[in-house]
């Protein structure tokens, strides 16, 4: 069964943690993270050939970069059992966005260090700062970084890997009409650096970057440790609906290309280092919101929301820079 899928996983399916009772059937931590990173790389590799690209780039002010939007349907690797045991074999609707930003601490863009500080460190907490709907983030579990170590996946050596579980709540207005949504997200983040390049490959093929994977979990009492179950339900707002999403986020630094002469606009642009930001997600808000509404750009669904996130992050980064 895929780890990266919309159907949430039970807490019994994740690696052991000091707060859990001993259970030898749980997956080994290193293997679990390796599997998630492999699935993430595989999905990102498949996007260009399996997703449909929107005909026009989308603006996301105050970001100077335009956003490429792609959409596609994807089936999990195996039929999935639902929480109540019924088998589901349903395709998932995925949205992917890609944007390329000049590596600079200037208006409308951000530097590599700012991307790292904002999207890799304290990912969920920072998301709450720049996303208006995120009203609460609570860290439920965290694994020690030293227990993970370096991981090699598909020829890429990942370092500084981390794993945590967060309870994330979104609230909307008017709150009397739209119930809050709470998500339980297992988040894996890891950095990589493919330098120095091999003689047979170009400089641009050897980028440094980081990957963040979010996997949905569900809080069913039968599969959630009792103390954790009580903590979750004590933390969510009244009327909250548990919803789900899975996502993959990759941020890479593209080295500057050096030209003997810089005559064209494209050459001038490529003579600067750039940051390529890719994010793919599938989600279900639950409740009575129809799936076709959630998929709609015109009705403010997921495609519009993921494009808006680019401008929200860049705007937040610019404000942080001014306040530093």
């Amino acid at each position: 069964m895929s780890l990266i899928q919309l159907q949430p996983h039970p807490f019994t399916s994740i690696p052991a943690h000091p707060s859990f009772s001993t259970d030898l059937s749980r997956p080994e931590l290193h293997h679990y993270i390796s599997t998630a990173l492999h699935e993430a790389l595989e999905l990102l590799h498949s996007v260009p050939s399996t997703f449909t690209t929107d005909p026009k780039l989308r603006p996301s002010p105050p970001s100077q970069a335009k956003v490429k939007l792609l959409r596609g349907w994807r089936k999990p690797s195996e039929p999935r059992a639902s929480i109540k045991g019924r088998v589901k074999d349903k395709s998932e609707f995925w949205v992917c966005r890609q944007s390329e930003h000049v590596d600079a601490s200037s208006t409308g863009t951000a530097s590599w260090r700012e991307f790292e500080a904002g999207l890799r460190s304290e990912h969920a907490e920072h998301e709450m700062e720049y996303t208006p709907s995120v009203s609460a983030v609570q860290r439920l579990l965290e694994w020690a970084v030293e227990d993970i170590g370096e991981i090699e996946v598909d020829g890429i050596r990942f370092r500084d890997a981390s794993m945590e579980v967060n309870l994330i709540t979104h609230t909307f207005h008017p709150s009397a009409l739209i119930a809050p949504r709470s998500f339980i997200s297992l988040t894996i983040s890891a950095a990589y650096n493919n330098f120095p390049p091999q003689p047979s490959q170009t400089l641009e093929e050897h980028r440094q970057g980081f990957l963040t994977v979010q996997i949905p979990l569900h809080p069913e009492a039968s599969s959630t440790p009792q103390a954790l179950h009580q903590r979750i339900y004590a933390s969510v707002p009244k009327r909250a609906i548990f919803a789900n999403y899975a996502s993959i986020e990759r941020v890479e630094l593209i080295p500057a290309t050096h030209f003997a002469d810089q005559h064209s606009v494209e050459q001038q642009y490529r003579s600067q280092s750039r940051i390529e930001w890719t994010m793919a997600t599938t989600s279900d808000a639950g409740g009575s919101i129809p799936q076709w509404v959630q998929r709609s750009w015109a009705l403010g669904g997921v495609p519009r929301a993921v494009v808006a996130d680019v401008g929200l992050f860049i705007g937040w980064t610019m404000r942080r820079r001014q306040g530093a």
Side-chain angles (χ1 to χ4, degrees):
M1 180 184 294
S2 298
L3 292 179
I4 304 173
Q5 61 175 36
L6 182 55
Q7 184 70 26
H9 298 273
F11 273 89
T12 50
S13 70
I14 68 176
H17 185 270
S19 66
F20 298 164
S21 59
T22 303
D23 185 349
L24 298 178
S25 66
R26 290 184 178 275
E28 191 270 329
L29 178 61
H30 196 275
H31 177 72
Y32 185 90
I33 294 175
S34 297
T35 301
L37 293 174
H38 168 73
E39 288 185 17
L41 292 171
E42 198 172 55
L43 194 153
L44 288 169
H45 181 72
S46 73
V47 165
S49 60
T50 59
F51 283 32
T52 301
T53 304
D54 274 20
K56 62 179 180 179
L57 298 176
R58 306 283 184 172
S60 187
S63 172
Q64 291 180 352
K66 295 290 184 69
V67 182
K68 180 195 290 187
L69 189 64
L70 306 95
R71 317 177 206 207
W73 292 87
R74 177 177 177 267
K75 276 192 175 183
S77 60
E78 297 177 16
R80 303 165 293 160
S82 72
I83 295 172
K84 296 183 179 180
R86 292 188 297 271
V87 172
K88 291 188 174 184
D89 188 15
K90 185 178 179 183
S91 292
E92 301 167 344
F93 177 71
W94 280 75
V95 176
C96 178
R97 61 163 165 80
Q98 297 175 333
S99 53
E100 196 171 283
H101 307 261
V102 173
D103 175 19
S105 296
S106 58
T107 302
T109 190
S111 69
W112 172 247
R113 287 190 177 184
E114 288 173 324
F115 267 94
E116 278 192 305
L119 295 178
R120 173 144 162 71
S121 305
E122 299 182 329
H123 185 277
E125 290 81 1
H126 287 162
E127 188 175 29
M128 181 169 64
E129 293 181 19
Y130 65 78
T131 306
S133 66
V134 180
S135 55
V137 172
Q138 183 175 357
R139 184 74 49 82
L140 298 176
L141 299 168
E142 188 171 11
W143 282 257
V145 173
E146 55 268 22
D147 290 343
I148 301 171
E150 286 195 351
I151 298 174
E152 186 165 331
V153 180
D154 299 345
I156 299 174
R157 182 168 293 178
F158 289 92
R159 56 179 171 77
D160 302 330
S162 63
M163 189 167 90
E164 62 194 39
V165 175
N166 295 305
L167 173 63
I168 303 169
T169 297
H170 291 243
T171 54
F172 308 93
H173 300 286
S175 57
L177 298 178
I178 308 174
R181 262 53 177 184
S182 290
F183 303 82
I184 301 176
S185 175
L186 184 148
T187 303
I188 295 167
S189 183
Y192 56 91
N193 188 338
N194 285 343
F195 289 99
Q198 298 298 317
S200 61
Q201 295 178 303
T202 66
L203 187 63
E204 284 200 0
E205 290 177 303
H206 290 267
R207 309 174 182 181
Q208 60 178 308
F210 57 90
L211 199 60
T212 301
V213 181
Q214 296 192 86
I215 297 169
L217 302 177
H218 67 72
E220 286 291 299
S222 61
S223 58
T224 306
Q226 184 178 6
L228 188 58
H229 183 267
Q230 292 173 347
R231 186 179 169 197
I232 291 169
Y233 277 87
S235 301
V236 297
K238 292 180 180 179
R239 300 175 52 243
I241 294 171
F242 280 99
N244 303 303
Y245 72 90
S247 71
I248 301 166
E249 188 169 51
R250 181 177 63 193
V251 183
E252 289 189 323
L253 178 62
I254 308 172
T257 302
H258 299 288
F259 299 94
D261 297 298
Q262 295 179 18
H263 297 300
S264 70
V265 173
E266 174 67 15
Q267 285 178 330
Q268 291 177 20
Y269 176 70
R270 292 179 62 194
S271 67
Q272 309 169 85
S273 57
R274 291 103 62 207
I275 294 151
E276 186 178 86
W277 184 11
T278 302
M279 197 279 287
T281 187
T282 182
S283 62
D284 182 3
S288 58
I289 303 175
Q291 282 287 334
W292 64 269
V293 172
Q294 298 179 49
R295 295 194 296 266
S296 169
W297 170 273
L299 296 176
V302 175
R304 186 182 289 270
V306 300
V307 169
D309 283 345
V310 174
L312 289 172
F313 173 76
I314 294 296
W316 172 77
T317 300
M318 290 165 56
R319 292 191 298 274
R320 287 223 302 177
R321 187 188 304 150
Q322 292 166 358

